[in-house]
Structure formats: structure tokens, C-alpha cells
């Protein structure tokens, strides 16, 4: 009997709905791929919508309760819950990237995004543990219901997916996380500070992975990365690209000020 393909293993991980099962599945796929145990075959389609737990309740952005500034216990719980949900969805976004576009993009692309998926799974675990230490848990509060929308909007084109997910959505985390770290430090939450610093370091690398593969796609297609990125973001991203920007972190991630300044407002 032949081994399960990498696409089959990824699709199975995406289908997991229970958080701890999805975390373990994402880590397992990344490990099995790294050890050469998953054949490079793309014979299983990715689901349009990944598995989701019964909780948290998913709400439209306009219905989400305001979190405040996050320094009180209640505010910190709300903040870490929101971040845990972002990381949970990020596991699926990275898995889907590898499984949906890996056949087209090649083994290095699969390796990169399975590594990202494993990182996001680790981030989720750290945040969920912090929630429990604060007396809460993932699923205890409502969460943003639109985070998967970017995947559906860009499922037809790897360039569009790379332009929107790593280079806009994840890049926004580079902008806001330093301020969040300082709020946690002011609140005396040293454990939260350490978690957020680890996430920020990893996300710089994740954005750089996305930017590098985007540049490769554009080179293959004979297009300018800057103008192509701006065109794809205007077409496929429903939100706003707005500052303030963390220029140093973005530059470390391969995003020049000139790239996003022309589209920001």
C-alpha cells in the first residue's frame, strides 16, 4: 500500500475541528513531510471550509464586542482569546497554502508553509495555555468570523493568496504587536510579553517567506512584484491597508516602505 500523499495528509489536518486535534495534525504533517514520509502527490483536493469547533461563536466584525486596551484581567483575557483565534485560523491558512498550491509551486514551497503551520499551531498552544492561566479558555468568548474569507477570495491564484495573507494580514501583526507587548509589560504580564515576543519574531519570518515566494511567482510570470502586489491587493483585499506601520519589522520581512506606501490610506 502506498503512503498517504502530502495533499491527503494536509486535507485530513484541515478537516480536524477540535483545536488540540488540529494542532497535533498540523505538527504531524510538518514532521512527516520533513522526514520524507509523505510523497509529493497532489491527488486530494483541499476543503473549501476547514473543520471548526462548536465554540467559539463566530460573529461578523461589526458584531464583535470591543476589547478595550487589554490591561485589566478581563481585557487581557479578551486580547489573548482574539489572538488565539487568529492563530487557530492561521494554522488552516498555512496548511491550505501548502495543500492547494504546493503542486504548482514545488517542494520548497510545501516545506516553508508546513513549517509555518507548525509555528502557528505552537503559537495557538502558548496563547491557549495563557488563557487557562488567566482563568479562561479558547471558545469562552465570541470570535471574528471573517478571518477565513481571504482564503476563499484567493483560492484560484497563488499570487493573490500570497499578496493578501502573508503580505497584508500577517504583516499587520508586525505593526500592532509591539504596542500590545508594551501594554502587557505595563500590566505586569511577563508571561504574555514572552509569548508575544516569540510570535512577533516568528511572524517576521512568515511574512518574509510569503514575500519571497510572491517575488518568485512574479518573476516566473514576467511581472513586476510591486505593481502586481498593489493590483492584487486592490482586487482581492476587502479591508484597508493603513498605518501606522512598523517599518523596521516590515523591512526585515522583505516589505519595503515603497511597496505599501503607495496603497496605504
Amino acid at each position: 500500500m502506498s503512503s498517504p500523499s502530502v495533499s491527503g495528509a494536509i486535507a485530513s489536518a484541515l478537516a480536524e475541528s477540535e483545536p488540540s486535534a488540529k494542532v497535533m495534525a498540523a505538527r504531524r504533517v510538518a514532521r512527516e513531510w520533513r522526514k520524507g514520509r509523505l510523497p509529493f502527490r497532489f491527488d486530494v483536493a483541499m476543503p473549501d471550509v476547514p473543520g471548526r469547533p462548536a465554540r467559539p461563536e463566530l460573529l461578523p466584525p461589526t458584531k464583535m464586542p470591543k476589547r478595550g486596551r487589554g490591561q485589566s484581567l478581563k481585557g487581557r483575557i479578551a486580547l489573548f482569546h482574539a489572538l488565539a483565534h487568529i492563530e487557530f485560523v492561521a494554522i488552516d491558512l498555512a496548511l491550505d497554502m501548502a495543500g492547494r498550491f504546493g503542486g504548482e509551486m514545488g517542494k520548497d514551497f510545501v516545506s516553508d508553509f508546513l513549517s509555518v503551520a507548525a509555528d502557528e499551531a505552537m503559537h495557538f498552544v502558548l496563547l491557549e495555555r495563557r488563557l487557562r492561566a488567566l482563568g479562561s479558555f479558547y471558545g469562552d468568548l465570541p470570535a471574528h468570523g471573517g478571518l477565513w474569507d481571504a482564503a476563499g477570495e484567493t483560492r484560484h491564484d497563488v499570487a493573490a493568496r500570497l499578496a493578501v495573507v502573508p503580505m497584508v494580514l500577517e504583516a499587520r501583526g508586525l505593526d500592532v504587536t509591539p504596542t500590545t507587548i508594551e501594554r502587557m509589560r505595563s500590566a505586569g504580564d511577563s508571561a504574555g510579553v514572552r509569548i508575544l515576543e516569540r510570535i512577533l519574531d516568528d511572524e517576521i519570518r512568515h511574512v518574509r517567506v510569503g514575500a519571497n515566494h510572491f517575488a518568485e511567482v512574479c518573476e516566473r510570470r514576467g511581472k513586476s512584484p510591486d505593481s502586481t502586489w498593489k493590483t492584487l491587493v486592490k482586487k482581492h483585499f476587502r479591508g484597508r491597508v493603513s498605518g501606522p506601520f512598523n517599518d523596521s519589522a516590515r523591512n526585515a520581512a522583505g516589505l519595503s516602505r515603497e511597496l505599501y506606501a503607495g496603497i496605504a490610506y
Side-chain angles (χ1 to χ4, degrees), residues 108-173:
D108 287 346
F109 183 91
V110 174
S111 296
D112 283 343
F113 281 100
L114 288 183
S115 176
V116 170
D119 284 348
E120 308 294 18
M122 182 267 292
H123 296 167
F124 174 80
V125 169
L126 293 174
L127 290 162
E128 215 277 332
R129 285 177 183 167
R130 189 68 194 131
L131 276 173
R132 291 192 178 274
L134 294 173
S136 186
F137 58 91
Y138 179 61
D140 196 28
L141 299 173
H144 191 313
L147 295 178
W148 183 253
D149 290 351
E153 175 67 27
T154 60
R155 64 183 180 274
H156 62 289
D157 179 21
V158 65
R161 176 69 63 84
L162 290 165
V164 171
V165 174
M167 299 175 72
V168 174
L169 297 179
E170 287 193 89
R172 187 60 183 152

Side-chain angles (χ1 to χ4, degrees), residues 59-68 78 141-144:
L59 299 177
T62 55
K63 300 294 185 181
M64 285 292 295
K66 295 190 180 299
R67 292 201 307 265
L141 299 173
H144 191 313

Side-chain angles (χ1 to χ4, degrees), residues 4 33 75 94 97 137 161 165 202 207 239 245 249:
W33 169 257
M97 184 84 83
F137 58 91
R161 176 69 63 84
V165 174
D202 288 344
V207 175
F245 300 110

Side-chain angles (χ1 to χ4, degrees), residues 50 56 85 89 209 239 264:
H85 183 64
V89 177
V209 164

Side-chain angles (χ1 to χ4, degrees), residues 26-260:
R27 288 174 164 175
R28 184 168 56 250
V29 173
R31 182 177 62 251
E32 293 297 290
W33 169 257
R34 188 173 62 251
K35 292 183 175 181
R37 296 173 180 168
L38 295 174
F40 185 73
R41 294 198 313 271
F42 289 81
D43 52 354
V44 178
M46 298 301 106
D48 288 337
V49 180
R52 287 284 179 267
R55 297 177 69 181
E57 178 188 9
L58 300 182
L59 299 177
T62 55
K63 300 294 185 181
M64 285 292 295
K66 295 190 180 299
R67 292 201 307 265
R69 296 192 59 80
Q71 289 171 312
S72 67
L73 175 60
K74 182 178 179 181
R76 283 184 289 142
I77 287 173
L79 170 67
F80 285 122
H81 192 280
L83 293 175
H85 183 64
I86 289 170
E87 297 295 340
F88 186 71
V89 177
I91 299 169
D92 286 330
L93 288 169
L95 288 172
D96 188 79
M97 184 84 83
R100 189 173 298 273
F101 303 113
E104 166 190 352
M105 295 295 294
K107 292 183 177 180
D108 287 346
F109 183 91
V110 174
S111 296
D112 283 343
F113 281 100
L114 288 183
S115 176
V116 170
D119 284 348
E120 308 294 18
M122 182 267 292
H123 296 167
F124 174 80
V125 169
L126 293 174
L127 290 162
E128 215 277 332
R129 285 177 183 167
R130 189 68 194 131
L131 276 173
R132 291 192 178 274
L134 294 173
S136 186
F137 58 91
Y138 179 61
D140 196 28
L141 299 173
H144 191 313
L147 295 178
W148 183 253
D149 290 351
E153 175 67 27
T154 60
R155 64 183 180 274
H156 62 289
D157 179 21
V158 65
R161 176 69 63 84
L162 290 165
V164 171
V165 174
M167 299 175 72
V168 174
L169 297 179
E170 287 193 89
R172 187 60 183 152
L174 307 185
D175 302 329
V176 302
T177 302
T179 301
T180 306
I181 289 171
E182 290 309 309
R183 292 213 307 268
M184 292 303 100
R185 186 172 283 119
S186 296
D189 192 336
S190 58
V193 167
R194 289 192 296 272
I195 292 168
L196 295 173
E197 288 177 338
R198 171 62 187 271
I199 291 174
L200 178 59
D201 287 345
D202 288 344
E203 295 299 343
I204 289 173
R205 178 167 46 82
H206 296 175
V207 175
R208 185 167 61 243
V209 164
N212 287 344
H213 283 293
F214 181 78
E216 292 169 10
V217 173
C218 290
E219 181 178 6
R220 192 183 314 143
R221 296 178 181 181
K223 295 184 176 182
S224 159
D226 284 16
S227 61
T228 301
W229 181 78
K230 291 169 184 174
T231 297
L232 291 171
V233 171
K234 288 178 180 177
K235 182 177 181 181
H236 296 291
F237 182 57
R238 300 177 186 176
R240 298 174 60 182
V241 179
S242 58
F245 300 110
N246 183 349
D247 291 330
S248 61
R250 283 174 172 257
N251 187 61
L255 303 182
S256 69
R257 176 70 177 167
E258 292 72 28
L259 174 68
Y260 52 88

